[in-house]
Amino acid sequence: MGIEIENIHKQFGAFSALGDVSLSIPSGELVALLGPSGCGKTTLLRIIAGLETPDSGRILFNGEDTTRSHVRERRVGFVFQHYALFRHMTVFDNVAFGLNVRPRQTRPSKEEISEKVMKLLRLVQLENMASRYPSQLSGGQRQRIALARALAVEPQVLLLDEPFGALDAQVRAELRRWLRRLHDEIHVTSVFVTHDQEEALEVADRIVVMNRGKIEQAGTPDEVYEQPATAFVLNFLGNVNLFHGRKSQRQTQQGGQPADANVSGGVDDTQAVAYVRSHDIEIERSRQDATALKAEIRHIQKLGPAVRVTLAIEESGEFLEAELTRDVYQNLGLQQGEQVFVRPRQVRVFVEDYQI
Amino acid sequence: MRLFKRQNNVLPGFGLTLGFTIFYLSVIVLIPLSALVFRTSGLTWGEFVTTVTAPRVLASYKVTFGSAMIAALINSVFGVLVAWVLVRYRFPGRRIVDALVDLPFALPTAVAGITLATIYSPNGWVGRFLEPHGIKVAFTPVGIVLAMTFIGLPFVVRTVQPVIEEIEIELEEAASCLGANRWQTLQLVIFPMLLPSILTGFALSFARAVGEYGSIIFIAGNMPMVSEITPLLIITKLEQFDYRGATAIACVMLLTSFSMLLVINLLQKWSRRYAD
């Protein structure tokens, strides 16, 4: 079941939530809508579901225009951030709800419903919780029940609105791996909303990065990470350092030293910003070549497997953050206050149009 | 020996507050009520039974509890409707309507009774339109129900209103995503969540109606066997210096009300069994 989103506009009062958004979601894929809060990702998801109507534009399910059809007729499974389980019903009744409300002619028999519910509960690994009430379950269990409930109606599309947002870090990591496995099993076209880049990179087949009601880039996790189309995408996916400078002749002047750069856009001699991911910064004891910059170590922070080193560049006084593996850090034997040389491995330059 | 084992608790003052609660309830509720029972015990069992089962008394129970039940039912239906409209819709004058709901709380009951009797009497504002259709409200049992409905309305509205406010819109969205129509959503999702508060509102409205005296005597007509409420009968007995007879009937009212409230509370507990 492929979804086509064509020129969707949505305005809330004076606030433009979505401005001319077009997107194609191929059948059977797991797509992440990624962006900061207020970027319109949830609004887009709710428009796909039919919980919100766009001001203009069309939504097509398998080539069929569903823009005007009611949420009941769209056969979408929707999973809410705060589960939205019916708390006066048992887990079993929650999952069976979508089947029980069908008109009599299409409603399965009691035995069929029971069989199907138990099958779904097995799928989400909660078959022994059937007679419990939602208040007796943990957050992760509730979200799995919400997912089973959404799947019970055999949706054409599964939509998840920050499904792991209300869970603690460990359960979240566990549940997203589980969601990935589940998707590999059932292959229903799924769209999930998240503001967590790690989550999107880990789970999704394709990532759609959104900002201020527009799509910045859509592509596979590798594409958006390795070839970010805009400064925003680069910035949102991982920690980056900024170098301000003037862009000319495919080079960025940085502290008097030219640095190789893959320049996007053809405008010469405009104000540009060079971006370097913190794990793309190498620290050396001695100057190897001209691109290395002299810097002083200001702070060292150990974060489990990685070590974050904050440096001040001698010439410009700008601060840099470098992320090293523990091995590299130990081999170098870095100390706070030491003078070292830093060399950016990969620099990306974007014409300055985006402010952090 | 200690009655309760001392436990370490983050909430201090359990002993003190429980002690005060029991003392307070005793002074305010228990002592007057036990005096009532004590006064009644002056009667022999035979006299007691004769007093409380006299035909006129039996008829008054029927009128009082029957009318209170009907009034509470009416309030449960329309009170929920009023609460729903007040919470879910925004319209000009909503605050005024919201304030109007509390008026029966504030109005002296005698004023309410006289007003209702005047309006619904055969030549009153409303009564004159009902009269040609053969509908008599004032000075009939219908009037009793009307007065009881009037004074009981705020109880249902004010208990249900906060619960409706707390229903997340996502629950309704989830239901419609799963294919439920509006009626099914109302019946299967919203109503079960409101039921505990409706029962509480019903119980309060019912209890208030059973105890109501001031407004009803003005509109009821007070005909023995037809539209005479039990509280009026008690007053009548008091005026005849039949204190024991009055307390005997009062005891029966007390027991009946108490057991009905108990049943409703149990029902209420059952209706929210999912919450523990």
Side-chain angles (χ1 to χ4, degrees):
Chain A
M1 237 300 305
I3 307 169
E4 291 294 329
I5 296 159
E6 292 179 354
N7 310 97
I8 293 286
H9 280 271
K10 179 73 184 178
Q11 196 92 16
F12 290 117
F15 174 70
S16 172
L18 292 172
D20 198 24
V21 169
S22 295
L23 180 68
S24 162
I25 298 169
S27 183
E29 277 202 347
L30 178 53
V31 175
L33 298 180
L34 176 67
S37 54
C39 73
K41 54 195 194 302
T42 296
T43 307
L44 183 59
L45 192 79
R46 290 172 60 85
I47 287 174
I48 299 173
L51 293 170
E52 213 88 65
T53 41
D55 297 335
S56 65
R58 299 199 304 163
I59 302 279
L60 298 111
F61 282 12
N62 260 354
E64 198 183 318
D65 191 348
T66 59
T67 319
R68 298 283 146 220
S69 68
H70 193 269
V71 53
R72 268 200 309 279
E73 295 140 20
R74 292 201 192 188
R75 291 190 48 218
V76 294
F78 202 99
V79 176
F80 294 85
Q81 181 178 2
H82 297 288
Y83 330 121
L85 290 176
F86 306 129
R87 53 178 172 274
H88 60 282
M89 294 184 198
T90 60
V91 163
F92 182 95
D93 289 334
N94 263 287
V95 178
F97 185 86
L99 300 170
N100 281 328
V101 296
R102 285 202 188 155
R104 197 155 276 134
Q105 304 93 285
T106 55
R107 193 190 306 159
S109 72
K110 266 205 152 50
E111 294 73 40
E112 283 169 322
I113 290 178
S114 166
E115 200 177 303
K116 182 148 188 193
V117 170
M118 291 319 285
K119 204 176 118 192
L120 281 162
L121 288 179
R122 270 196 297 280
L123 186 72
V124 299
Q125 299 154 0
L126 288 170
E127 66 262 48
N128 49 1
M129 300 282 177
S131 56
R132 300 269 188 102
Y133 285 101
S135 61
Q136 299 165 315
L137 304 180
S138 71
Q141 290 173 328
R142 286 183 209 182
Q143 198 55 294
R144 267 142 69 194
I145 293 302
L147 196 60
R149 182 178 70 175
L151 290 173
V153 292
E154 289 173 15
Q156 311 184 67
V157 188
L158 187 61
L159 305 170
L160 308 103
D161 183 11
E162 304 232 8
F164 315 123
L167 303 168
D168 60 69
Q170 205 172 355
V171 178
R172 190 150 73 196
E174 197 180 303
L175 213 54
R176 66 189 183 212
R177 252 166 260 147
W178 175 82
L179 177 69
R180 182 65 243 186
R181 281 201 306 276
L182 183 79
H183 185 264
D184 292 338
E185 231 172 279
I186 57 177
H187 278 301
V188 57
T189 310
S190 309
V191 183
F192 79 100
V193 158
T194 181
H195 59 256
D196 181 344
Q197 39 108 358
E198 207 181 302
E199 192 169 292
L201 290 169
E202 182 175 339
V203 177
D205 293 318
R206 276 156 55 82
I207 295 178
V208 177
V209 185
M210 294 183 68
N211 182 34
R212 293 185 191 167
K214 298 232 189 284
I215 291 176
E216 296 271 334
Q217 189 178 9
T220 64
D222 278 350
E223 275 166 22
V224 293
Y225 194 79
E226 300 293 342
Q227 296 136 38
T230 64
F232 176 82
V233 176
L234 175 66
N235 217 316
F236 201 73
L237 294 165
N239 298 325
V240 286
N241 293 292
L242 273 70
F243 298 94
H244 293 271
R246 295 192 78 75
K247 170 187 150 224
S248 61
Q249 296 165 355
R250 321 209 101 238
Q251 282 180 338
T252 298
Q253 301 296 126
Q254 213 294 321
Q257 301 292 335
D260 283 336
N262 39 350
V263 178
S264 66
V267 205
D268 268 4
D269 220 38
T270 46
Q271 200 62 29
V273 183
Y275 295 81
V276 185
R277 288 215 163 95
S278 33
H279 60 77
D280 279 334
I281 289 178
E282 252 175 294
I283 298 180
E284 289 155 351
R285 283 269 173 214
S286 56
R287 176 169 273 169
Q288 305 283 347
D289 57 39
T291 60
L293 302 163
K294 203 171 182 192
E296 187 193 311
I297 298 177
R298 287 293 174 86
H299 192 63
I300 297 172
Q301 234 180 328
K302 288 166 197 162
L303 312 159
V307 179
R308 185 186 296 158
V309 182
T310 310
L311 305 126
I313 295 171
E314 198 178 52
E315 278 172 70
S316 60
E318 280 184 290
F319 282 93
L320 265 189
E321 269 188 3
E323 232 175 82
L324 312 176
T325 62
R326 222 163 234 280
D327 282 351
V328 172
Y329 165 74
Q330 272 160 0
N331 286 341
L332 286 165
L334 299 175
Q335 297 291 325
Q336 200 165 322
E338 272 187 303
Q339 297 284 336
V340 289
F341 293 92
V342 294
R343 194 153 53 101
R345 239 177 310 207
Q346 197 177 11
V347 182
R348 292 179 179 83
V349 177
F350 293 98
V351 175
E352 197 163 69
D353 61 342
Y354 164 72
Q355 297 291 325
I356 295 187
Chain B
M1 208 188 96
R2 300 192 73 99
L3 197 54
F4 299 105
K5 219 170 86 188
R6 185 172 280 273
Q7 284 176 336
N8 288 324
N9 198 323
V10 281
L11 290 177
F14 171 72
L16 185 69
T17 49
L18 181 73
F20 180 75
T21 305
I22 290 173
F23 169 75
Y24 185 80
L25 280 178
S26 303
V27 171
I28 297 291
V29 182
L30 226 52
I31 291 176
L33 291 184
S34 49
L36 192 70
V37 177
F38 180 73
R39 201 62 197 254
T40 317
S41 62
L43 289 171
T44 64
W45 180 248
E47 286 170 327
F48 177 78
V49 173
T50 325
T51 313
V52 300
T53 58
R56 191 171 158 190
V57 178
L58 285 180
S60 81
Y61 295 151
K62 236 165 88 181
V63 171
T64 307
F65 288 104
S67 307
M69 190 64 87
I70 295 168
L73 281 173
I74 292 172
N75 277 333
S76 300
V77 175
F78 293 100
V80 172
L81 202 68
V82 170
W84 182 266
V85 170
L86 285 177
V87 174
R88 284 300 171 99
Y89 305 109
R90 293 290 169 269
F91 53 90
R94 189 179 68 93
R95 298 244 164 252
I96 295 169
V97 176
D98 200 49
L100 273 179
V101 170
D102 286 330
L103 220 52
F105 272 150
L107 207 61
T109 51
V111 177
I114 293 166
T115 313
L116 287 174
T118 314
I119 290 173
Y120 285 94
S121 69
N123 45 18
W125 287 356
V126 180
R128 77 176 71 165
F129 299 107
L130 298 174
E131 180 76 5
H133 303 283
I135 303 167
K136 286 200 180 84
V137 178
F139 318 122
T140 66
V142 183
I144 300 176
V145 174
L146 182 75
M148 287 175 166
T149 310
F150 176 80
I151 49 136
L153 176 74
F155 291 96
V156 178
V157 178
R158 292 292 177 240
T159 47
V160 175
Q161 205 173 3
V163 182
I164 297 178
E165 272 165 11
E166 270 172 35
I167 294 181
E168 304 101 329
I169 195 84
E170 277 112 65
L171 290 175
E172 289 166 57
E173 287 176 348
S176 66
C177 282
L178 292 165
N181 58 37
R182 280 307 284 164
W183 173 243
Q184 285 169 319
T185 306
L186 205 64
Q187 181 195 358
L188 301 171
V189 177
I190 295 170
F191 181 71
M193 292 176 60
L194 296 185
L195 188 61
S197 64
I198 295 176
L199 283 171
T200 305
F202 177 88
L204 290 173
S205 167
F206 173 79
R208 178 76 180 81
V210 166
E212 178 58 12
Y213 172 76
S215 64
I216 296 173
I217 51 160
F218 288 103
I219 198 174
N222 306 323
M223 283 181 21
M225 309 298 291
V226 180
S227 58
E228 189 176 46
I229 54 166
T230 316
L232 177 65
L233 212 57
I234 294 170
I235 300 277
T236 315
K237 288 218 184 280
L238 286 177
E239 280 169 351
Q240 294 160 351
F241 303 106
D242 180 8
Y243 295 129
R244 286 175 183 175
T247 49
I249 298 173
C251 274
V252 172
M253 275 197 88
L254 190 68
L255 276 176
T256 318
S257 297
F258 184 72
S259 44
M260 290 185 102
L261 289 177
L262 201 65
V263 169
I264 295 169
N265 275 342
L266 288 174
L267 261 175
Q268 205 248 11
K269 190 168 156 50
W270 168 83
S271 74
R272 38 177 298 129
R273 63 201 175 284
Y274 53 83
D276 24 78

